[in-house]
């Protein structure tokens, strides 16, 4: 199984936001990138967006655009698939990748919620090298990658994925059971469910909920995570003290959490609240400022050994 320093060519299948960001990461790490996407104008968008993510430097000859999915798979040492989040599409893509890629090449999906077993079964040759490596957007900056094996995924493939991702500067975590949404998206979904409910019930505005997280617990979570944050808040007694003394009221709060009804009216209310919060701020400007701050935050975490 190809791992770590032996990866020379990164295969990118699907060049939307995640695919472009993966490509930029590979290029920034000195890898060749072979990409494919069937959409009209995909190559031009990939090259222009990759140049932006790389700080304005146009990608050199190390970025190539393939004429087919099979060409990408045959050239790659590692394939990162970023196609639509539709199971049948994933199955078609992985069947083609499995047919064309060398047997030692990992086939990894960026799926944000599909379980690898559901599409690895389409691979007739080597389903044991199929897994999910779910990044967080933008993956050229955010370190987290969730590594999820399916029922047929070998231990060797999982270890190879972990090693390779670390070599690319990522911080992979192994998800030990397949569940829809993996782990981080399930945690986000739990928060979003309550956030939507609070807006729906008129408890707080969209802008105030964003402030409540971004200028409150989100600052601490970005440094230590929810469990470690609870631990340090418990003083000398740590997390056990928190659970013993603050756990009962927390459980009472759990009982009051609600699941809002997913209606057009709720979606309109949320969207209107977002428009009000942003005002004249454009999305591209917001993303650029966010990414600049992310770079600074990652440097700060490294300086303080919190990365």
């Amino acid at each position: 199984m190809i791992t770590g320093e032996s990866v020379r060519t990164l295969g990118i299948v699907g060049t939307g936001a995640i695919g472009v960001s993966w490509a930029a990461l590979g290029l920034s790490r000195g890898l060749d990138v072979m990409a494919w996407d069937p959409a009209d104008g995909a190559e031009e968008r990939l090259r222009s967006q990759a140049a932006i993510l790389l700080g304005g430097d146009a990608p050199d000859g190390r970025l190539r655009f393939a004429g087919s999915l099979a060409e990408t798979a045959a050239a790659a040492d590692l394939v990162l698939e970023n196609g639509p989040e539709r199971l049948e599409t994933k199955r078609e893509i992985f069947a083609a990748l499995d047919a064309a890629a060398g047997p030692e090449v990992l086939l990894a999906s960026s799926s944000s919620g599909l379980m690898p077993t559901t599409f690895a079964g389409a691979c007739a040759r080597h389903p044991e090298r199929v897994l999910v490596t779910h990044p967080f957007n933008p993956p050229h900056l955010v370190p987290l990658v969730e590594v999820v094996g399916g029922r047929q995924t070998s231990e060797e493939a999982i270890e190879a994925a972990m090693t390779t991702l670390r070599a690319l500067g990522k911080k992979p975590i192994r998800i030990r059971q397949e569940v829809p949404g993996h782990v981080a998206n399930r945690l986000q979904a739990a928060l979003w469910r309550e956030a939507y409910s609070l807006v729906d019930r008129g408890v707080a505005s969209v802008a105030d909920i964003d402030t409540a997280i971004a200028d409150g617990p989100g600052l601490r979570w970005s440094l230590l995570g929810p469990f470690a944050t609870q631990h340090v808040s418990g003083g000398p007694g740590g997390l056990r003290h928190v659970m013993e003394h603050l756990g009962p009221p927390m459980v009472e709060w759990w009982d009051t959490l609600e699941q809002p009804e997913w209606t057009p009216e709720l979606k309109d209310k949320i969207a209107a609240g977002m428009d009000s919060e942003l005002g004249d701020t454009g999305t591209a400007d917001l993303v650029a400022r966010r990414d600049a701050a992310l770079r600074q935050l990652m440097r700060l975490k490294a300086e303080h050994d919190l990365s």
Side-chain angles (χ1 to χ4, degrees), residues 73-200:
D77 300 317
L78 166 66
V79 177
L80 298 175
E81 177 273 334
N82 314 281
E85 195 77 345
R86 295 192 293 270
L87 179 56
E88 284 310 310
T89 302
K90 287 274 192 274
R91 289 178 63 83
E92 292 173 6
I93 290 173
F94 273 86
L97 290 173
D98 183 54
E104 75 285 1
V105 175
L106 284 175
L107 304 181
S109 175
S110 295
S111 174
S112 60
L114 293 175
M115 296 178 287
T117 294
T118 62
F119 52 84
C123 299
R125 295 175 64 223
H126 295 288
E128 73 280 357
R129 42 88 174 267
V130 175
L131 69 168
V132 164
T133 55
H134 173 233
F136 263 67
N137 194 21
H140 70 287
L141 294 179
V142 178
L144 176 66
V145 181
E146 297 175 307
V147 176
V148 191
R151 285 196 294 269
Q152 294 175 283
T153 308
S154 69
E155 187 67 23
E156 181 187 10
I158 291 171
E159 289 301 322
M162 299 287 286
T163 300
T164 301
L165 289 164
R166 291 189 188 105
L168 289 172
K170 310 306 288 179
K171 195 161 188 176
I173 62 171
R174 179 174 179 176
I175 310 304
R176 299 183 181 275
Q177 293 183 29
E178 292 180 279
V179 290
H182 318 315
V183 166
N185 272 342
R186 291 178 70 90
L187 293 170
Q188 290 190 129
L191 190 149
W192 283 329
R193 181 179 68 175
E194 182 61 14
Y196 276 65
S197 176
L198 291 170
V199 172
D200 191 36

Side-chain angles (χ1 to χ4, degrees), residues 201-274:
R201 288 183 279 157
V203 175
S205 69
V206 168
D208 284 344
I209 287 174
D210 275 348
T211 299
I213 296 300
D215 293 298
L219 290 172
R220 299 184 301 186
W221 291 341
S222 71
L223 301 175
L224 294 177
F227 284 129
T229 294
Q230 273 197 317
H231 174 72
V232 298
S233 71
L239 182 56
R240 185 170 298 278
H241 173 80
V242 171
M243 291 190 292
E244 290 175 351
H245 294 273
L246 300 180
M250 179 174 64
V251 172
E252 291 178 5
W253 299 340
W254 287 348
D255 293 337
T256 69
L257 301 179
E258 297 185 9
Q259 180 162 320
E261 187 178 353
W262 193 241
T263 63
E265 292 76 19
L266 175 58
K267 288 183 280 187
D268 287 344
K269 186 183 295 186
I270 297 292
M274 190 75 262

Side-chain angles (χ1 to χ4, degrees), residues 269-280:
K269 186 183 295 186
I270 297 292
M274 190 75 262
D275 291 341
S276 176
E277 179 181 350
L278 290 180
D280 294 332

